[in-house]
């Protein structure tokens, strides 16, 4: 479930809606990045790639899920990656073949040297604008350069994605209605895509997503 939190994160929810309403035209290219030093929690589990799946399944899965949320389940993936300490893939870069025809790729991993910390970002180039998010910029994390308008900071209200996700599920339980933003099938699809990415890294080839 936590892997789906980006669907509820204010700046990511903004991006999804921006793609849906076509306000800047179609997406030409999208790049997502989520990188960190090895996690300081749960070393006995997370550092055991056989149990955690490594950075591919623990960290990169967030962006994999968001890619399918925005562009549908990819037709295929081409991934490169490496093992550093967990015994599983700790860092991965993936090119997704999506139905919309946009160039979409994501980089994720927890193999940075201790002291690096954590960073998440995205850059999406539309026909008439470029949206760029970098958590390191703090209150100015999301900037949009729009054709003929220059660059501006976009402020998105709302709690972080984990809180938004939990509120959604609590409301579903309270009302007896099924989830609408994310489903169990979405979770299964995200794992299937990551499995295809893992296979692509090992085989060094393009892998179709079933």
């Amino acid at each position: 479930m936590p892997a789906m939190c980006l669907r509820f994160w204010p700046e990511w929810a903004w991006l999804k809606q921006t793609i849906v309403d076509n306000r800047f035209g179609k997406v030409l290219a999208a790049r997502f990045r989520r990188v960190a030093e090895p996690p300081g929690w749960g070393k006995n589990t997370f550092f055991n790639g056989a149990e955690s799946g490594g950075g591919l399944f623990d960290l990169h899965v967030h962006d994999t899920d968001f890619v399918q949320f925005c562009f549908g389940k990819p037709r295929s993936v081409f991934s490169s990656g490496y093992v550093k300490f967990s015994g599983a893939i700790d860092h991965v870069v993936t090119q997704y073949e999506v139905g919309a025809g946009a160039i979409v790729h994501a980089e994720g991993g927890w193999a940075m040297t201790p002291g690096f910390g954590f960073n998440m970002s995205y850059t999406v180039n539309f026909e008439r604008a470029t949206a760029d998010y970098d958590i390191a910029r703090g209150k100015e994390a999301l900037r949009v350069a729009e054709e003929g308008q220059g660059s501006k900071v976009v402020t998105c209200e709302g709690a972080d994605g984990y809180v938004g996700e939990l509120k959604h599920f609590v409301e579903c339980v309270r009302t007896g209605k099924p989830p609408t933003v994310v489903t169990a099938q979405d979770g299964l699809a995200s794992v299937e895509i990551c499995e295809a990415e893992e296979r692509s890294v090992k085989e060094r080839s393009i892998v179709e997503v079933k």
Side-chain angles (χ1 to χ4, degrees), residues 7-8 30 34 54 63 104 117 148 153 160 163 173 183 185-186 188 194-195:
R7 298 179 182 223
F8 300 86
R34 183 170 312 276
D63 292 304
V104 181
V153 174
D160 70 40
V163 173
V173 173
T183 67
Q185 184 60 42
D186 293 329
L188 174 61
C194 283
E195 288 177 336

Side-chain angles (χ1 to χ4, degrees), residues 97-156:
E97 181 192 6
V98 299
I103 298 171
V104 181
H105 71 276
E107 176 186 17
W110 56 12
M112 299 303 183
T113 302
F116 175 87
F118 168 79
N119 182 264
M120 62 180 182
S121 63
Y122 65 70
T123 301
V124 180
N125 199 30
F126 298 86
E127 290 179 297
R128 298 187 300 276
T130 300
D132 185 75
Y133 174 90
D134 189 331
I135 194 173
R137 290 200 292 258
K139 293 182 179 180
E140 296 187 358
L142 178 56
R143 296 176 179 172
V144 177
E146 186 177 358
E147 192 174 274
Q149 303 294 322
S151 179
K152 65 179 180 181
V153 174
V154 176
T155 302
C156 301

Side-chain angles (χ1 to χ4, degrees), residues 42-85:
K43 290 185 177 181
N44 292 334
T45 298
F46 288 99
F47 285 23
N48 182 346
E51 295 184 6
S52 69
L56 170 60
F57 283 90
D58 179 75
L59 195 65
H60 176 69
V61 66
H62 292 283
D63 292 304
T64 293
D65 175 70
F66 195 72
V67 166
Q68 72 154 332
F69 185 47
C70 290
F71 303 102
K73 196 171 184 180
R75 295 171 178 169
S76 66
V77 297
F78 180 68
S79 305
S80 298
Y82 58 85
V83 177
K84 188 173 184 181
F85 64 87

